[in-house]
Structures are given as structure tokens and as C-alpha cells.
């Protein structure tokens, strides 16, 4: 029997991006973290380009997680996206920000500049993911980011608020 390759579901990607955009716009409206922001073209390697309140350029990647942030002590990022953001920072000074929205109304923002020496300090991990676009499991390489380098925001009374210390929550 010949195993047929599953067809890609293009609406999954579009619906997913729309939900990410809605969360990001809520965050920006609640926090005024960015003066300007622009959605990059569909299927671009990174989701947004922005200017923060200090006038600095930022490269932004968004991810929505279907579990609470407390489930794991680390978060993973696609290797190519991490290196693209690190290289854009090194070449052009864009701040590399990786936004992760979790189901427990928590947002962890990873500033990849906090990784001292990416050539030495990045931790690579082979994991199994569920690719929802193809509805199949895949083994992939990812970079692991410890939560202690992230800035935490929580939704309190419907608004995104910065949490100074996770123990206070």
C-alpha cells in the first residue's frame, strides 16, 4: 500500500495568523510598547517589524501555545527564526523579540539579546511536533529558551500588565 502525503490546509495558517494578530494588537493597545508596528507580508520569515517607544527597530515573531506557561520551564523556537532575528540584530541593530501567548492569559517575551554568546549558549533539541497545517507529527530541531530570560505579562481585568516577579503572581 502506498502512503499518500497529506494535503496542506491553507486556511489553518490564515486563521492562526489572524488569531496571533488579534493578541498582538491587544498587547500593543494595552501597553503602548510600540510607537509603530507593521505586519510583514504573508509567509514572511518573521511576523512584525516595529519601532519601540525609544525609537529602536524590532523584529518580532509571534507564537500561540495551547497550554499554560507553567507546563514547561522552557520554550522552543524554530532554529531558522532565532538565527534570522539574531543576525538582523547583529547587522542592523533590530531588537529580536519572540512573543509567546499561553492559554493561561500569560505572555512571555524573549529578548534574544539576553543570550550572551549564541554560538556557544544556544541549546538545540530534537522534538516531535504536531503540524496542524498537515495534521501530522514531525520530528524537528528547535532552540530551547529558558523562561527566566523572558519578560512576563499577564492579562489582568482584560488588560495586558507587566509582571515584575513571577513569584508575585
Amino acid at each position: 500500500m502506498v502512503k499518500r502525503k497529506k494535503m496542506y490546509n491553507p486556511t489553518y495558517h490564515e486563521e492562526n495568523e489572524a488569531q496571533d494578530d488579534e493578541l498582538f494588537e491587544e498587547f500593543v493597545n494595552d501597553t503602548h510598547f510600540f510607537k509603530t508596528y507593521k505586519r510583514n507580508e504573508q509567509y514572511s520569515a518573521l511576523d512584525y517589524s516595529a519601532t519601540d517607544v525609544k525609537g529602536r527597530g524590532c523584529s518580532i515573531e509571534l507564537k500561540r501555545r495551547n497550554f499554560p506557561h507553567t507546563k514547561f520551564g522552557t520554550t522552543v523556537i524554530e532554529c531558522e527564526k532565532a538565527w534570522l532575528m539574531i543576525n538582523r540584530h547583529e547587522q542592523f541593530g533590530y531588537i529580536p523579540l519572540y512573543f509567546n501567548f499561553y492559554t493561561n492569559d500569560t505572555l512571555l517575551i524573549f529578548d534574544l539579546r539576553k543570550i550572551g554568546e549564541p554560538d556557544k549558549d544556544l541549546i538545540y533539541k530534537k522534538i516531535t511536533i504536531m503540524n496542524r497545517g498537515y495534521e501530522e507529527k514531525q520530528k524537528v530541531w528547535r532552540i530551547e529558551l529558558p523562561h527566566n530570560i523572558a519578560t512576563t505579562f499577564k492579562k489582568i481585568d482584560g488588560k495586558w500588565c507587566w509582571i515584575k516577579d513571577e513569584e508575585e503572581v
Side-chain angles (χ1 to χ4, degrees):
M1 184 163 91
V2 175
K3 188 175 178 182
R4 290 184 2 201
K5 186 172 173 97
K6 295 184 181 188
M7 296 297 291
Y8 178 69
N9 176 359
T11 59
Y12 169 77
H13 181 78
E14 291 165 13
E15 290 166 2
N16 202 41
E17 295 285 308
Q19 291 173 358
D20 290 350
D21 291 345
E22 186 177 316
L23 285 167
F24 182 68
E25 287 180 25
E26 268 181 17
F27 171 80
V28 172
N29 291 334
D30 290 348
T31 64
H32 306 287
F33 208 75
F34 300 105
K35 287 195 299 188
T36 63
Y37 62 96
K38 177 175 125 350
R39 178 62 137 130
N40 293 329
E41 290 182 28
Q42 190 173 18
Y43 304 113
S44 291
L46 300 175
D47 293 317
Y48 279 87
S49 297
T51 304
D52 72 6
V53 293
K54 295 181 180 177
R56 301 173 297 184
C58 302
S59 295
I60 300 168
E61 177 62 15
L62 306 177
K63 188 72 173 179
R64 202 168 10 88
R65 307 286 179 178
N66 294 318
F67 49 84
H69 79 290
T70 52
K71 185 171 181 177
F72 304 103
T74 62
T75 293
V76 295
I77 183 172
E78 294 172 49
C79 301
E80 300 81 10
K81 290 183 188 248
W83 278 107
L84 175 61
M85 288 197 292
I86 289 166
N87 288 332
R88 285 175 56 108
H89 171 67
E90 290 174 354
Q91 292 176 4
F92 309 111
Y94 295 120
I95 298 171
L97 300 174
Y98 185 43
F99 281 60
N100 283 259
F101 294 93
Y102 293 86
T103 57
N104 59 340
D105 286 338
T106 302
L107 165 63
L108 296 182
I109 302 175
F110 294 88
D111 179 344
L112 300 185
R113 296 176 303 171
K114 290 184 179 178
I115 301 167
E117 295 183 56
D119 291 339
K120 296 180 193 173
D121 297 340
L122 291 177
I123 299 167
Y124 293 85
K125 184 177 186 178
K126 192 165 195 174
I127 62 172
T128 302
I129 63 164
M130 181 63 181
N131 182 324
R132 299 280 180 211
Y134 288 101
E135 287 299 324
E136 66 183 11
K137 289 185 177 181
Q138 298 174 338
K139 289 201 178 286
V140 295
W141 283 97
R142 295 290 189 255
I143 292 172
E144 201 169 44
L145 301 171
H147 287 180
N148 66 356
I149 69 165
T151 300
T152 304
F153 286 81
K154 277 205 156 299
K155 219 178 223 191
I156 300 172
D157 296 328
K159 302 269 187 209
W160 287 107
C161 301
W162 174 55
I163 303 299
K164 187 173 185 178
D165 186 349
E166 189 65 23
E167 279 80 46
E168 293 176 11
V169 178

